[in-house]
């Protein structure tokens, strides 16, 4: 659900090209700018702006607009895991080399004339009818731990902090919640370091709290890296909210400091593939921020926190 776009820093020499390409790439739509060269895309863009300004290719007012817009893009730029770079003098040659190894959603450069290779475009060739440019920000998956993890893990790789919200979380084996979480943890460990802070919010049966804690420890501790933790926060809804038919955790979400997803059935999975798929939908940025504020600052209206379980990992990396 996360699509990487390789944008030549040379697009900064044209304000309209820069605006169109960068405004298209936003985590809320599952689209990000690949940081190419790794860790240097912003500085490369700044150099292009200065060179174009010195050569009188850009008016000062447009150069200022480009600099201002560039400074706001930092949360849209990511290094794609596994990307390399040849560090030649030619950005396009190096980007094409990476694109041929593992294609980006699209590679865009004003130095391209016509579609030189599949998925490669001049900015003038792009519009919402371009298949490679029209990437989806929702996904249908089978209800299996592997498919759920495959969809969610790429969204968690850039995250510093992750919140799962799912009132129905259960440690019972027939629900497969823990299997899903174990697959997700394994996927994160394989793809990145350090391990992010992860918090799971749910509404358990209060009579089973000790059993829940024991099951989580027994079945998750070996997946979580040593000296890292996975926190489970247990909530109880106030009666007046339930009586109004308004459970505060009615919907299920996976939230990060980077992006967010609404999950159809939730984080559990069927024991075997079913004919009933699950649907994942990227969250609008304003909605993600509002939900993030509740998890981090405000708390959830109509809910009181009852208990917290912290699982400390033992896995040696």
């Amino acid at each position: 659900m996360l699509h990487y776009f390789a944008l030549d820093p040379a697009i900064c020499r044209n304000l309209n090209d820069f605006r169109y390409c960068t405004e298209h790439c936003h985590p809320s739509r599952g689209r990000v700018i690949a940081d190419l060269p790794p860790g240097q895309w912003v500085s490369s863009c700044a150099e292009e702006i200065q060179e174009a300004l010195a050569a009188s290719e850009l008016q000062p007012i447009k150069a200022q607009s480009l600099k201002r817009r560039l400074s706001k893009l930092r949360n849209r730029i990511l290094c794609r895991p596994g990307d390399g770079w040849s560090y030649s003098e030619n950005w396009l040659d190096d980007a094409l080399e990476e694109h041929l190894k593992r294609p980006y959603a699209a590679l865009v450069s004003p130095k391209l004339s016509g579609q030189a290779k599949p998925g490669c475009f001049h900015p003038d060739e792009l519009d919402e009818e371009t298949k490679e440019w029209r990437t989806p920000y929702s996904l249908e998956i089978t209800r299996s731990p592997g498919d759920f993890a495959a969809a969610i893990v790429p969204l968690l790789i850039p995250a510093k902090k992750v919140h799962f919200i799912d009132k129905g979380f259960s440690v019972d084996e027939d629900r497969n919640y823990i299997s899903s979480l174990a697959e997700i943890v394994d996927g994160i460990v394989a793809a990145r370091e350090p391990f992010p802070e992860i918090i799971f919010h749910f509404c358990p049966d209060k009579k089973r709290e000790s059993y829940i804690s024991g099951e989580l420890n027994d079945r998750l501790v070996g997946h979580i890296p040593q000296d890292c933790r996975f926190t489970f926060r247990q909530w109880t809804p106030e009666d007046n909210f339930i009586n109004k038919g308004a459970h505060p955790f009615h919907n299920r979400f996976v939230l990060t400091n980077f992006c967010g997803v609404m999950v159809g059935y939730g984080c559990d999975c069927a024991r075997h593939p079913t004919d009933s798929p699950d649907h994942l939908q990227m969250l609008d940025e304003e909605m993600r921020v509002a939900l993030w504020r509740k998890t981090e600052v405000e708390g959830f209206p109509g809910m009181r926190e009852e208990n917290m379980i912290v699982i400390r990992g033992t896995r040696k990396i």
Side-chain angles (χ1 to χ4, degrees):
M1 293 182 71
L2 198 59
H3 307 276
Y4 289 80
F5 291 83
L7 305 182
D8 190 337
I11 62 170
C12 293
R13 293 175 177 265
N14 183 298
L15 179 57
N16 289 333
D17 288 349
F18 182 84
R19 288 178 59 182
Y20 181 74
C21 290
T22 59
E23 288 175 1
H24 174 83
C25 296
H26 198 288
S28 65
R29 303 185 191 100
R31 302 165 182 165
V32 294
I33 300 167
D35 197 358
L36 300 171
Q40 299 177 29
W41 188 81
V42 170
S43 60
S44 297
C45 287
E47 290 174 7
E48 290 282 353
I49 295 170
Q50 285 303 116
E51 289 177 8
L53 186 60
S56 300
E57 296 175 15
L58 273 177
Q59 297 175 358
I61 191 171
K62 289 187 175 182
Q64 286 301 317
S65 177
L66 282 161
K67 290 177 182 178
R68 186 174 63 254
R69 293 172 185 277
L70 182 62
S71 70
K72 296 178 180 179
L73 286 180
R74 296 185 185 275
N75 71 328
R76 305 186 191 186
I77 303 164
L78 284 179
C79 283
R80 186 175 67 167
D83 269 354
W85 200 252
S86 294
Y87 293 96
S88 72
E89 295 297 316
N90 189 305
W91 183 95
L92 183 55
D93 287 346
D94 290 355
L96 282 169
E97 184 180 334
E98 291 302 311
H99 182 65
L100 290 173
K101 293 176 186 174
R102 287 188 305 147
Y104 296 99
L107 188 156
V108 182
S109 173
K111 299 171 185 175
L112 290 168
S113 56
Q115 189 171 342
K117 295 184 182 298
C120 300
F121 301 91
H122 186 283
D124 290 345
E125 296 178 287
L126 298 172
D127 57 39
E128 288 303 317
E129 298 301 314
T130 306
K131 179 183 176 182
E132 292 86 347
W133 201 237
R134 196 179 66 250
T135 54
Y137 46 94
S138 60
L139 184 66
E140 180 178 285
I141 62 172
T142 59
R143 295 187 64 210
S144 70
D147 279 10
F148 185 64
I152 291 295
V153 166
L155 306 178
L156 309 187
I157 290 172
K160 296 179 180 178
K161 196 170 189 177
V162 181
H163 289 275
F164 288 84
I165 302 174
D166 190 336
K167 69 174 182 178
F169 176 82
S170 169
V171 296
D172 294 339
E173 290 192 14
D174 62 341
R175 298 294 301 278
N176 260 346
Y177 272 104
I178 295 183
S179 296
S180 286
L181 293 183
E183 291 255 9
I184 289 169
V185 170
D186 289 345
I188 295 172
V189 170
R192 63 162 284 175
E193 195 177 344
F195 193 73
E197 182 178 359
I198 304 181
I199 302 166
F200 202 112
H201 305 262
F202 70 115
C203 301
D205 181 344
K206 292 177 65 177
K207 297 178 182 179
R208 307 178 71 205
E209 285 181 359
S210 60
Y211 171 71
I212 291 170
S213 179
E215 286 292 299
L216 289 172
N217 265 300
D218 289 346
R219 297 166 60 191
L220 271 185
V221 69
H223 294 271
I224 302 167
Q226 196 171 34
D227 299 325
C228 297
R229 64 184 186 181
F230 197 133
T231 302
F232 292 80
R233 295 175 66 180
Q234 304 178 51
W235 299 81
T236 298
E238 303 286 355
D239 290 340
N240 61 324
F241 268 74
I242 296 300
N243 292 339
K244 294 177 182 178
H247 196 295
F249 283 4
H250 176 73
N251 292 325
R252 284 87 167 173
F253 301 98
V254 181
L255 305 174
T256 79
N257 56 293
F258 183 73
C259 63
V261 179
M262 185 163 69
V263 183
Y265 277 108
C267 303
D268 66 330
C269 292
R271 190 174 278 276
H272 303 288
T274 70
D275 293 331
S276 182
D278 205 353
H279 296 87
L280 311 179
Q281 174 75 48
M282 298 295 294
L283 290 177
D284 176 80
E285 179 63 4
E286 289 186 6
M287 184 181 295
R288 183 201 68 83
V289 169
L291 286 166
W292 186 258
R293 196 160 47 238
K294 288 180 180 179
T295 61
E296 290 286 297
V297 181
E298 300 170 356
F300 299 96
M303 300 287 279
R304 63 177 182 271
E305 187 168 4
E306 297 285 358
N307 191 26
M308 183 182 295
I309 301 170
V310 179
I311 309 301
R312 300 186 185 279
T314 60
R315 180 178 183 176
K316 294 183 179 180
I317 306 299

